[in-house]
Amino acid sequence: MGQAKKRGSLEERIKQAQERQDNFYGINTSVEHIREELGLPEDAEPIGYVIHLPDQDEFVAEIIDTDMAFSVAYAKVPKMAKTYDEPELAIADAKKITKHKLLVCVLFESSEQYMINDIWANY
């Protein structure tokens, strides 16, 4: 127990472990490559990057991170998801959420449906 205390609080040790385990397996994949691999329709447009909870089939809709509080709101539909322009920004927010299995995904919208493809996981 003394060794663990020397490395910091439980929260600090969890954060350090998460930073060491990045799991960003889609870093070299372009959005166009994902579109081709998935065989998405021509009208499927990339909307941005989203954080998806696969077990609950929900999306992160809002994150409030202040000195006083940390809260996350979730949405069932991808249209309500918080979108990011850069995957690194989505991953940085996803790393703050430690209670769930998470995927950072590219979100596509076509005339018929939304589609996601994961590029990062925290598990």
Side-chain angles (χ1 to χ4, degrees):
M1 183 157 158
Q3 291 295 323
K5 283 188 176 181
K6 288 180 185 177
R7 292 190 316 252
S9 69
L10 175 61
E11 291 81 15
E12 290 169 336
R13 293 191 316 268
I14 290 171
K15 184 176 180 181
Q16 291 166 2
Q18 288 174 334
E19 288 171 356
R20 285 191 303 268
Q21 179 187 8
D22 200 7
N23 292 340
F24 191 8
Y25 49 83
I27 194 164
N28 295 323
T29 304
S30 71
V31 172
E32 287 307 314
H33 183 256
I34 293 170
R35 181 196 314 267
E36 291 170 12
E37 257 189 31
L38 295 177
L40 298 178
E42 289 293 320
D43 70 336
E45 291 295 321
I47 303 299
Y49 298 89
V50 296
I51 302 171
H52 182 240
L53 287 74
D55 292 342
Q56 292 86 351
D57 196 20
E58 294 180 334
F59 297 86
V60 170
E62 183 180 8
I63 293 179
I64 298 171
D65 186 11
T66 67
D67 292 338
M68 301 286 289
F70 179 78
S71 68
V72 182
Y74 302 97
K76 283 286 190 186
V77 293
K79 182 178 185 175
M80 303 282 296
K82 176 179 175 69
T83 58
Y84 300 84
D85 293 331
E86 300 293 327
E88 293 82 8
L89 298 174
I91 291 168
D93 272 357
K95 286 182 177 180
K96 297 174 186 176
I97 304 168
T98 58
K99 295 179 5 177
H100 304 286
K101 290 181 180 179
L102 300 173
L103 299 171
V104 170
C105 305
V106 181
L107 174 66
F108 292 91
E109 180 182 15
S110 75
S111 59
E112 296 180 19
Q113 64 184 20
Y114 289 95
M115 294 145 286
I116 57 172
N117 186 69
D118 56 296
I119 61 165
W120 179 91
N122 71 347
Y123 57 95

